[in-house]
Amino acid sequence: MSTTLPKVNLDEPRFDQSTYEGRAKHFFITTNPLNLFATSSQLEDAKSVVEKYRKGEPLPGYNIDDVWKAKHLYDSAFHPDTKEKMFILGRMSAQVPCNMTITGCMMTFYKTTPAVLFWQWINQSFNAIVNYTNRSGDSPIPLKQLGLSYVLATGGAVTTALTLNSLVKKFPPLIGRFVPFAAVAAANCINIPCMRSREILNGIPVFDENGNRLGESKTAAKSAITQVVISRVFMATPGMMIPPFIMNVLEKKHWLKTRPYLNAPVQVGIIGIFLVFATPLCCALFPQKSSIATNKLEEDLQKKIKSSPNPPERVFFNKGL
């Protein structure tokens, strides 16, 4: 290790992940849209700094804060398993700008069947890109599974939106503005479990607090997927539940009535403000390294763990995003 820099573990986040504040700080950095503006040369430089630090090579002119900045930029663009540069729309830093645009259009153009079909399709296409880009390098998502999840989620979202649109016609116009949120929530409840169905069938690795692998658990997989679904739904809630009230007021104002072409841009901007905060804050709801009591695992896995020396009372697993 370089004598000029302290030794830190770059494989773990910089902030304490056992606290909500620490997790929120981590995800504010991870989802920062400004990372999208980094050039290829800047990304390669960040990669070089991280690799040199890990090898203990000298980094003249760098302090530990510079190393962390390089690590955060590196993490924003390179896959953690394959080390390959990720497709730009699938990166976590693209979540806010892409979601605010898609969500704003879904909530602006929600009254006609063609518009519902188009924007729900766009939304699920983006979700498929994100899921594929962030797939596990050790256990990649088969294209057949990705396609099935895509079709089921799109079908569920469209069916929910069209059904609710037909039901809310008798209600005040404001009620209809919440239909896209119901469709998105339904799609998340379909898409994520389907995308991770192999984990439900085969289980996910569980570890003790020292990182020793203890086996695979289907119970832990179900817990992980439930946490991710809850986070995704909560993430969409502020930007899809509050703007309808704001837009309902603004659309009655003369300046927007005479400029209907501003409806979508205004709604996209409002949703963007909410998503800038909701995305990292909701990603941080549950620890990335989640845990479950050993006595809640499958009986055969419980027996295996309890038969080992000093069996842990809790086991840990990666919940995913």
Side-chain angles (χ1 to χ4, degrees), residues 126-161:
F126 173 67
N127 287 340
I129 290 172
V130 172
N131 289 329
Y132 184 74
T133 303
N134 293 280
R135 67 197 183 280
S136 168
D138 295 329
S139 232
I141 301 170
L143 288 178
K144 183 178 179 181
Q145 184 179 355
L146 183 70
L148 177 62
S149 174
Y150 173 60
V151 170
L152 290 176
T154 304
V158 169
T159 301
T160 301

PDB file of all heavy atoms in Angstrom, residues 126-161:
ATOM      1  N   PHE A 126     -37.619   0.617 -20.376  1.00  0.00           N
ATOM      2  CA  PHE A 126     -36.539   1.209 -19.575  1.00  0.00           C
ATOM      3  C   PHE A 126     -36.205   0.316 -18.384  1.00  0.00           C
ATOM      4  O   PHE A 126     -35.028   0.084 -18.079  1.00  0.00           O
ATOM      5  CB  PHE A 126     -36.945   2.601 -19.106  1.00  0.00           C
ATOM      6  CG  PHE A 126     -35.978   3.217 -18.134  1.00  0.00           C
ATOM      7  CD1 PHE A 126     -34.696   3.563 -18.541  1.00  0.00           C
ATOM      8  CD2 PHE A 126     -36.340   3.444 -16.820  1.00  0.00           C
ATOM      9  CE1 PHE A 126     -33.786   4.123 -17.652  1.00  0.00           C
ATOM     10  CE2 PHE A 126     -35.442   3.998 -15.924  1.00  0.00           C
ATOM     11  CZ  PHE A 126     -34.163   4.335 -16.343  1.00  0.00           C
ATOM     12  N   ASN A 127     -37.237  -0.211 -17.712  1.00  0.00           N
ATOM     13  CA  ASN A 127     -37.002  -1.109 -16.577  1.00  0.00           C
ATOM     14  C   ASN A 127     -36.214  -2.342 -17.002  1.00  0.00           C
ATOM     15  O   ASN A 127     -35.338  -2.823 -16.278  1.00  0.00           O
ATOM     16  CB  ASN A 127     -38.326  -1.546 -15.943  1.00  0.00           C
ATOM     17  CG  ASN A 127     -38.984  -0.437 -15.147  1.00  0.00           C
ATOM     18  OD1 ASN A 127     -38.324   0.520 -14.744  1.00  0.00           O
ATOM     19  ND2 ASN A 127     -40.272  -0.543 -14.922  1.00  0.00           N
ATOM     20  N   ALA A 128     -36.528  -2.862 -18.190  1.00  0.00           N
ATOM     21  CA  ALA A 128     -35.816  -4.043 -18.698  1.00  0.00           C
ATOM     22  C   ALA A 128     -34.344  -3.713 -18.942  1.00  0.00           C
ATOM     23  O   ALA A 128     -33.459  -4.525 -18.648  1.00  0.00           O
ATOM     24  CB  ALA A 128     -36.476  -4.541 -19.982  1.00  0.00           C
ATOM     25  N   ILE A 129     -34.083  -2.517 -19.468  1.00  0.00           N
ATOM     26  CA  ILE A 129     -32.695  -2.088 -19.711  1.00  0.00           C
ATOM     27  C   ILE A 129     -31.936  -2.002 -18.383  1.00  0.00           C
ATOM     28  O   ILE A 129     -30.793  -2.476 -18.264  1.00  0.00           O
ATOM     29  CB  ILE A 129     -32.669  -0.725 -20.428  1.00  0.00           C
ATOM     30  CG1 ILE A 129     -33.158  -0.875 -21.870  1.00  0.00           C
ATOM     31  CG2 ILE A 129     -31.261  -0.130 -20.410  1.00  0.00           C
ATOM     32  CD1 ILE A 129     -33.359   0.441 -22.595  1.00  0.00           C
ATOM     33  N   VAL A 130     -32.582  -1.413 -17.368  1.00  0.00           N
ATOM     34  CA  VAL A 130     -31.943  -1.270 -16.053  1.00  0.00           C
ATOM     35  C   VAL A 130     -31.663  -2.642 -15.444  1.00  0.00           C
ATOM     36  O   VAL A 130     -30.562  -2.900 -14.939  1.00  0.00           O
ATOM     37  CB  VAL A 130     -32.828  -0.427 -15.103  1.00  0.00           C
ATOM     38  CG1 VAL A 130     -32.270  -0.450 -13.683  1.00  0.00           C
ATOM     39  CG2 VAL A 130     -32.932   1.003 -15.607  1.00  0.00           C
ATOM     40  N   ASN A 131     -32.656  -3.529 -15.505  1.00  0.00           N
ATOM     41  CA  ASN A 131     -32.488  -4.863 -14.919  1.00  0.00           C
ATOM     42  C   ASN A 131     -31.394  -5.654 -15.627  1.00  0.00           C
ATOM     43  O   ASN A 131     -30.608  -6.360 -14.990  1.00  0.00           O
ATOM     44  CB  ASN A 131     -33.806  -5.639 -14.973  1.00  0.00           C
ATOM     45  CG  ASN A 131     -34.839  -5.103 -14.008  1.00  0.00           C
ATOM     46  OD1 ASN A 131     -34.493  -4.587 -12.949  1.00  0.00           O
ATOM     47  ND2 ASN A 131     -36.108  -5.208 -14.361  1.00  0.00           N
ATOM     48  N   TYR A 132     -31.340  -5.545 -16.950  1.00  0.00           N
ATOM     49  CA  TYR A 132     -30.327  -6.287 -17.700  1.00  0.00           C
ATOM     50  C   TYR A 132     -28.933  -5.695 -17.468  1.00  0.00           C
ATOM     51  O   TYR A 132     -27.960  -6.429 -17.274  1.00  0.00           O
ATOM     52  CB  TYR A 132     -30.642  -6.262 -19.190  1.00  0.00           C
ATOM     53  CG  TYR A 132     -29.684  -7.102 -20.010  1.00  0.00           C
ATOM     54  CD1 TYR A 132     -29.753  -8.496 -19.989  1.00  0.00           C
ATOM     55  CD2 TYR A 132     -28.694  -6.502 -20.777  1.00  0.00           C
ATOM     56  CE1 TYR A 132     -28.866  -9.261 -20.720  1.00  0.00           C
ATOM     57  CE2 TYR A 132     -27.794  -7.260 -21.509  1.00  0.00           C
ATOM     58  CZ  TYR A 132     -27.895  -8.641 -21.479  1.00  0.00           C
ATOM     59  OH  TYR A 132     -26.996  -9.396 -22.202  1.00  0.00           O
ATOM     60  N   THR A 133     -28.836  -4.373 -17.443  1.00  0.00           N
ATOM     61  CA  THR A 133     -27.545  -3.716 -17.241  1.00  0.00           C
ATOM     62  C   THR A 133     -26.962  -4.039 -15.876  1.00  0.00           C
ATOM     63  O   THR A 133     -25.750  -4.224 -15.727  1.00  0.00           O
ATOM     64  CB  THR A 133     -27.694  -2.184 -17.385  1.00  0.00           C
ATOM     65  OG1 THR A 133     -28.233  -1.886 -18.673  1.00  0.00           O
ATOM     66  CG2 THR A 133     -26.352  -1.481 -17.234  1.00  0.00           C
ATOM     67  N   ASN A 134     -27.829  -4.134 -14.861  1.00  0.00           N
ATOM     68  CA  ASN A 134     -27.381  -4.381 -13.491  1.00  0.00           C
ATOM     69  C   ASN A 134     -27.490  -5.851 -13.086  1.00  0.00           C
ATOM     70  O   ASN A 134     -27.520  -6.165 -11.902  1.00  0.00           O
ATOM     71  CB  ASN A 134     -28.187  -3.507 -12.520  1.00  0.00           C
ATOM     72  CG  ASN A 134     -27.897  -2.035 -12.702  1.00  0.00           C
ATOM     73  OD1 ASN A 134     -26.898  -1.526 -12.231  1.00  0.00           O
ATOM     74  ND2 ASN A 134     -28.771  -1.335 -13.432  1.00  0.00           N
ATOM     75  N   ARG A 135     -27.544  -6.739 -14.081  1.00  0.00           N
ATOM     76  CA  ARG A 135     -27.632  -8.173 -13.802  1.00  0.00           C
ATOM     77  C   ARG A 135     -26.375  -8.647 -13.075  1.00  0.00           C
ATOM     78  O   ARG A 135     -25.309  -8.025 -13.170  1.00  0.00           O
ATOM     79  CB  ARG A 135     -27.790  -8.951 -15.107  1.00  0.00           C
ATOM     80  CG  ARG A 135     -26.578  -8.892 -16.005  1.00  0.00           C
ATOM     81  CD  ARG A 135     -26.910  -9.308 -17.426  1.00  0.00           C
ATOM     82  NE  ARG A 135     -25.724  -9.326 -18.279  1.00  0.00           N
ATOM     83  CZ  ARG A 135     -25.172  -8.262 -18.832  1.00  0.00           C
ATOM     84  NH1 ARG A 135     -25.682  -7.071 -18.593  1.00  0.00           N
ATOM     85  NH2 ARG A 135     -24.106  -8.373 -19.597  1.00  0.00           N
ATOM     86  N   SER A 136     -26.497  -9.767 -12.392  1.00  0.00           N
ATOM     87  CA  SER A 136     -25.349 -10.351 -11.718  1.00  0.00           C
ATOM     88  C   SER A 136     -24.381 -10.922 -12.742  1.00  0.00           C
ATOM     89  O   SER A 136     -24.788 -11.578 -13.699  1.00  0.00           O
ATOM     90  CB  SER A 136     -25.812 -11.464 -10.762  1.00  0.00           C
ATOM     91  OG  SER A 136     -24.711 -12.209 -10.308  1.00  0.00           O
ATOM     92  N   GLY A 137     -23.108 -10.667 -12.530  1.00  0.00           N
ATOM     93  CA  GLY A 137     -22.109 -11.204 -13.448  1.00  0.00           C
ATOM     94  C   GLY A 137     -21.913 -12.688 -13.269  1.00  0.00           C
ATOM     95  O   GLY A 137     -21.600 -13.419 -14.200  1.00  0.00           O
ATOM     96  N   ASP A 138     -22.125 -13.170 -12.011  1.00  0.00           N
ATOM     97  CA  ASP A 138     -21.962 -14.595 -11.736  1.00  0.00           C
ATOM     98  C   ASP A 138     -23.186 -15.388 -12.166  1.00  0.00           C
ATOM     99  O   ASP A 138     -23.092 -16.539 -12.546  1.00  0.00           O
ATOM    100  CB  ASP A 138     -21.738 -14.826 -10.230  1.00  0.00           C
ATOM    101  CG  ASP A 138     -20.422 -14.213  -9.765  1.00  0.00           C
ATOM    102  OD1 ASP A 138     -19.493 -14.173 -10.584  1.00  0.00           O
ATOM    103  OD2 ASP A 138     -20.351 -13.777  -8.620  1.00  0.00           O
ATOM    104  N   SER A 139     -24.362 -14.790 -12.077  1.00  0.00           N
ATOM    105  CA  SER A 139     -25.602 -15.469 -12.420  1.00  0.00           C
ATOM    106  C   SER A 139     -26.444 -14.568 -13.284  1.00  0.00           C
ATOM    107  O   SER A 139     -27.423 -13.992 -12.838  1.00  0.00           O
ATOM    108  CB  SER A 139     -26.322 -15.726 -11.175  1.00  0.00           C
ATOM    109  OG  SER A 139     -26.746 -16.541 -10.744  1.00  0.00           O
ATOM    110  N   PRO A 140     -26.051 -14.386 -14.539  1.00  0.00           N
ATOM    111  CA  PRO A 140     -26.749 -13.456 -15.430  1.00  0.00           C
ATOM    112  C   PRO A 140     -28.197 -13.853 -15.691  1.00  0.00           C
ATOM    113  O   PRO A 140     -28.538 -15.038 -15.633  1.00  0.00           O
ATOM    114  CB  PRO A 140     -25.932 -13.524 -16.724  1.00  0.00           C
ATOM    115  CG  PRO A 140     -25.237 -14.833 -16.670  1.00  0.00           C
ATOM    116  CD  PRO A 140     -24.971 -15.113 -15.231  1.00  0.00           C
ATOM    117  N   ILE A 141     -29.028 -12.852 -15.949  1.00  0.00           N
ATOM    118  CA  ILE A 141     -30.440 -13.104 -16.243  1.00  0.00           C
ATOM    119  C   ILE A 141     -30.554 -13.659 -17.658  1.00  0.00           C
ATOM    120  O   ILE A 141     -30.130 -13.010 -18.610  1.00  0.00           O
ATOM    121  CB  ILE A 141     -31.258 -11.795 -16.138  1.00  0.00           C
ATOM    122  CG1 ILE A 141     -31.133 -11.195 -14.738  1.00  0.00           C
ATOM    123  CG2 ILE A 141     -32.723 -12.048 -16.476  1.00  0.00           C
ATOM    124  CD1 ILE A 141     -31.698  -9.794 -14.626  1.00  0.00           C
ATOM    125  N   PRO A 142     -31.117 -14.868 -17.826  1.00  0.00           N
ATOM    126  CA  PRO A 142     -31.295 -15.399 -19.185  1.00  0.00           C
ATOM    127  C   PRO A 142     -32.215 -14.484 -19.986  1.00  0.00           C
ATOM    128  O   PRO A 142     -33.154 -13.894 -19.440  1.00  0.00           O
ATOM    129  CB  PRO A 142     -31.954 -16.762 -18.937  1.00  0.00           C
ATOM    130  CG  PRO A 142     -31.667 -17.095 -17.508  1.00  0.00           C
ATOM    131  CD  PRO A 142     -31.598 -15.791 -16.794  1.00  0.00           C
ATOM    132  N   LEU A 143     -31.943 -14.356 -21.282  1.00  0.00           N
ATOM    133  CA  LEU A 143     -32.756 -13.479 -22.130  1.00  0.00           C
ATOM    134  C   LEU A 143     -34.218 -13.926 -22.132  1.00  0.00           C
ATOM    135  O   LEU A 143     -35.126 -13.098 -22.216  1.00  0.00           O
ATOM    136  CB  LEU A 143     -32.193 -13.471 -23.549  1.00  0.00           C
ATOM    137  CG  LEU A 143     -30.859 -12.726 -23.727  1.00  0.00           C
ATOM    138  CD1 LEU A 143     -30.379 -12.844 -25.168  1.00  0.00           C
ATOM    139  CD2 LEU A 143     -31.005 -11.253 -23.346  1.00  0.00           C
ATOM    140  N   LYS A 144     -34.464 -15.249 -22.036  1.00  0.00           N
ATOM    141  CA  LYS A 144     -35.840 -15.751 -22.002  1.00  0.00           C
ATOM    142  C   LYS A 144     -36.572 -15.240 -20.770  1.00  0.00           C
ATOM    143  O   LYS A 144     -37.736 -14.824 -20.838  1.00  0.00           O
ATOM    144  CB  LYS A 144     -35.834 -17.283 -22.012  1.00  0.00           C
ATOM    145  CG  LYS A 144     -37.220 -17.904 -22.049  1.00  0.00           C
ATOM    146  CD  LYS A 144     -37.128 -19.429 -22.106  1.00  0.00           C
ATOM    147  CE  LYS A 144     -38.518 -20.050 -22.118  1.00  0.00           C
ATOM    148  NZ  LYS A 144     -38.446 -21.548 -22.153  1.00  0.00           N
ATOM    149  N   GLN A 145     -35.874 -15.254 -19.624  1.00  0.00           N
ATOM    150  CA  GLN A 145     -36.476 -14.768 -18.385  1.00  0.00           C
ATOM    151  C   GLN A 145     -36.701 -13.264 -18.438  1.00  0.00           C
ATOM    152  O   GLN A 145     -37.727 -12.755 -17.985  1.00  0.00           O
ATOM    153  CB  GLN A 145     -35.572 -15.128 -17.204  1.00  0.00           C
ATOM    154  CG  GLN A 145     -36.158 -14.752 -15.846  1.00  0.00           C
ATOM    155  CD  GLN A 145     -35.244 -15.138 -14.706  1.00  0.00           C
ATOM    156  OE1 GLN A 145     -34.213 -15.775 -14.909  1.00  0.00           O
ATOM    157  NE2 GLN A 145     -35.601 -14.748 -13.497  1.00  0.00           N
ATOM    158  N   LEU A 146     -35.728 -12.540 -19.005  1.00  0.00           N
ATOM    159  CA  LEU A 146     -35.858 -11.093 -19.153  1.00  0.00           C
ATOM    160  C   LEU A 146     -37.060 -10.760 -20.034  1.00  0.00           C
ATOM    161  O   LEU A 146     -37.853  -9.874 -19.716  1.00  0.00           O
ATOM    162  CB  LEU A 146     -34.581 -10.517 -19.758  1.00  0.00           C
ATOM    163  CG  LEU A 146     -34.518  -9.001 -19.914  1.00  0.00           C
ATOM    164  CD1 LEU A 146     -34.404  -8.337 -18.551  1.00  0.00           C
ATOM    165  CD2 LEU A 146     -33.351  -8.588 -20.793  1.00  0.00           C
ATOM    166  N   GLY A 147     -37.202 -11.498 -21.141  1.00  0.00           N
ATOM    167  CA  GLY A 147     -38.316 -11.265 -22.063  1.00  0.00           C
ATOM    168  C   GLY A 147     -39.657 -11.561 -21.424  1.00  0.00           C
ATOM    169  O   GLY A 147     -40.624 -10.806 -21.602  1.00  0.00           O
ATOM    170  N   LEU A 148     -39.739 -12.667 -20.661  1.00  0.00           N
ATOM    171  CA  LEU A 148     -40.994 -13.030 -19.997  1.00  0.00           C
ATOM    172  C   LEU A 148     -41.386 -11.969 -18.984  1.00  0.00           C
ATOM    173  O   LEU A 148     -42.553 -11.550 -18.917  1.00  0.00           O
ATOM    174  CB  LEU A 148     -40.840 -14.388 -19.311  1.00  0.00           C
ATOM    175  CG  LEU A 148     -42.044 -14.875 -18.500  1.00  0.00           C
ATOM    176  CD1 LEU A 148     -43.262 -15.051 -19.405  1.00  0.00           C
ATOM    177  CD2 LEU A 148     -41.719 -16.173 -17.773  1.00  0.00           C
ATOM    178  N   SER A 149     -40.407 -11.507 -18.199  1.00  0.00           N
ATOM    179  CA  SER A 149     -40.677 -10.480 -17.204  1.00  0.00           C
ATOM    180  C   SER A 149     -41.155  -9.196 -17.876  1.00  0.00           C
ATOM    181  O   SER A 149     -42.088  -8.541 -17.416  1.00  0.00           O
ATOM    182  CB  SER A 149     -39.407 -10.208 -16.393  1.00  0.00           C
ATOM    183  OG  SER A 149     -39.598  -9.132 -15.520  1.00  0.00           O
ATOM    184  N   TYR A 150     -40.507  -8.847 -18.972  1.00  0.00           N
ATOM    185  CA  TYR A 150     -40.850  -7.641 -19.735  1.00  0.00           C
ATOM    186  C   TYR A 150     -42.289  -7.706 -20.235  1.00  0.00           C
ATOM    187  O   TYR A 150     -43.068  -6.761 -20.069  1.00  0.00           O
ATOM    188  CB  TYR A 150     -39.860  -7.516 -20.897  1.00  0.00           C
ATOM    189  CG  TYR A 150     -40.146  -6.432 -21.900  1.00  0.00           C
ATOM    190  CD1 TYR A 150     -40.204  -5.098 -21.527  1.00  0.00           C
ATOM    191  CD2 TYR A 150     -40.339  -6.743 -23.244  1.00  0.00           C
ATOM    192  CE1 TYR A 150     -40.435  -4.105 -22.454  1.00  0.00           C
ATOM    193  CE2 TYR A 150     -40.575  -5.754 -24.174  1.00  0.00           C
ATOM    194  CZ  TYR A 150     -40.617  -4.441 -23.782  1.00  0.00           C
ATOM    195  OH  TYR A 150     -40.856  -3.460 -24.698  1.00  0.00           O
ATOM    196  N   VAL A 151     -42.676  -8.845 -20.823  1.00  0.00           N
ATOM    197  CA  VAL A 151     -44.028  -9.013 -21.366  1.00  0.00           C
ATOM    198  C   VAL A 151     -45.067  -8.991 -20.245  1.00  0.00           C
ATOM    199  O   VAL A 151     -46.100  -8.316 -20.347  1.00  0.00           O
ATOM    200  CB  VAL A 151     -44.130 -10.330 -22.164  1.00  0.00           C
ATOM    201  CG1 VAL A 151     -45.579 -10.625 -22.523  1.00  0.00           C
ATOM    202  CG2 VAL A 151     -43.277 -10.251 -23.430  1.00  0.00           C
ATOM    203  N   LEU A 152     -44.799  -9.708 -19.141  1.00  0.00           N
ATOM    204  CA  LEU A 152     -45.757  -9.770 -18.038  1.00  0.00           C
ATOM    205  C   LEU A 152     -45.919  -8.409 -17.353  1.00  0.00           C
ATOM    206  O   LEU A 152     -47.033  -7.997 -17.034  1.00  0.00           O
ATOM    207  CB  LEU A 152     -45.316 -10.817 -17.012  1.00  0.00           C
ATOM    208  CG  LEU A 152     -45.411 -12.284 -17.456  1.00  0.00           C
ATOM    209  CD1 LEU A 152     -44.852 -13.199 -16.372  1.00  0.00           C
ATOM    210  CD2 LEU A 152     -46.865 -12.659 -17.755  1.00  0.00           C
ATOM    211  N   ALA A 153     -44.803  -7.705 -17.131  1.00  0.00           N
ATOM    212  CA  ALA A 153     -44.875  -6.400 -16.470  1.00  0.00           C
ATOM    213  C   ALA A 153     -45.590  -5.379 -17.347  1.00  0.00           C
ATOM    214  O   ALA A 153     -46.428  -4.602 -16.871  1.00  0.00           O
ATOM    215  CB  ALA A 153     -43.471  -5.910 -16.121  1.00  0.00           C
ATOM    216  N   THR A 154     -45.265  -5.382 -18.637  1.00  0.00           N
ATOM    217  CA  THR A 154     -45.932  -4.457 -19.556  1.00  0.00           C
ATOM    218  C   THR A 154     -47.423  -4.770 -19.629  1.00  0.00           C
ATOM    219  O   THR A 154     -48.260  -3.858 -19.579  1.00  0.00           O
ATOM    220  CB  THR A 154     -45.308  -4.544 -20.963  1.00  0.00           C
ATOM    221  OG1 THR A 154     -43.905  -4.286 -20.863  1.00  0.00           O
ATOM    222  CG2 THR A 154     -45.935  -3.531 -21.905  1.00  0.00           C
ATOM    223  N   GLY A 155     -47.742  -6.055 -19.744  1.00  0.00           N
ATOM    224  CA  GLY A 155     -49.153  -6.459 -19.797  1.00  0.00           C
ATOM    225  C   GLY A 155     -49.897  -6.090 -18.526  1.00  0.00           C
ATOM    226  O   GLY A 155     -51.035  -5.603 -18.581  1.00  0.00           O
ATOM    227  N   GLY A 156     -49.244  -6.301 -17.369  1.00  0.00           N
ATOM    228  CA  GLY A 156     -49.886  -5.962 -16.097  1.00  0.00           C
ATOM    229  C   GLY A 156     -50.112  -4.474 -15.948  1.00  0.00           C
ATOM    230  O   GLY A 156     -51.169  -4.031 -15.486  1.00  0.00           O
ATOM    231  N   ALA A 157     -49.112  -3.676 -16.351  1.00  0.00           N
ATOM    232  CA  ALA A 157     -49.243  -2.216 -16.242  1.00  0.00           C
ATOM    233  C   ALA A 157     -50.327  -1.689 -17.171  1.00  0.00           C
ATOM    234  O   ALA A 157     -51.156  -0.853 -16.772  1.00  0.00           O
ATOM    235  CB  ALA A 157     -47.901  -1.554 -16.571  1.00  0.00           C
ATOM    236  N   VAL A 158     -50.339  -2.163 -18.408  1.00  0.00           N
ATOM    237  CA  VAL A 158     -51.326  -1.692 -19.383  1.00  0.00           C
ATOM    238  C   VAL A 158     -52.732  -2.105 -18.968  1.00  0.00           C
ATOM    239  O   VAL A 158     -53.680  -1.307 -19.023  1.00  0.00           O
ATOM    240  CB  VAL A 158     -50.992  -2.238 -20.785  1.00  0.00           C
ATOM    241  CG1 VAL A 158     -52.143  -1.997 -21.745  1.00  0.00           C
ATOM    242  CG2 VAL A 158     -49.723  -1.584 -21.322  1.00  0.00           C
ATOM    243  N   THR A 159     -52.871  -3.365 -18.545  1.00  0.00           N
ATOM    244  CA  THR A 159     -54.191  -3.856 -18.115  1.00  0.00           C
ATOM    245  C   THR A 159     -54.710  -3.058 -16.925  1.00  0.00           C
ATOM    246  O   THR A 159     -55.886  -2.660 -16.888  1.00  0.00           O
ATOM    247  CB  THR A 159     -54.111  -5.347 -17.741  1.00  0.00           C
ATOM    248  OG1 THR A 159     -53.657  -6.095 -18.870  1.00  0.00           O
ATOM    249  CG2 THR A 159     -55.468  -5.866 -17.290  1.00  0.00           C
ATOM    250  N   THR A 160     -53.825  -2.820 -15.943  1.00  0.00           N
ATOM    251  CA  THR A 160     -54.225  -2.039 -14.764  1.00  0.00           C
ATOM    252  C   THR A 160     -54.639  -0.629 -15.163  1.00  0.00           C
ATOM    253  O   THR A 160     -55.684  -0.128 -14.718  1.00  0.00           O
ATOM    254  CB  THR A 160     -53.051  -1.954 -13.756  1.00  0.00           C
ATOM    255  OG1 THR A 160     -52.672  -3.269 -13.365  1.00  0.00           O
ATOM    256  CG2 THR A 160     -53.454  -1.149 -12.529  1.00  0.00           C
ATOM    257  N   ALA A 161     -53.843   0.015 -16.027  1.00  0.00           N
ATOM    258  CA  ALA A 161     -54.133   1.398 -16.424  1.00  0.00           C
ATOM    259  C   ALA A 161     -55.442   1.493 -17.201  1.00  0.00           C
ATOM    260  O   ALA A 161     -56.286   2.364 -16.921  1.00  0.00           O
ATOM    261  CB  ALA A 161     -52.979   1.940 -17.264  1.00  0.00           C
TER     262      ALA A 161
END
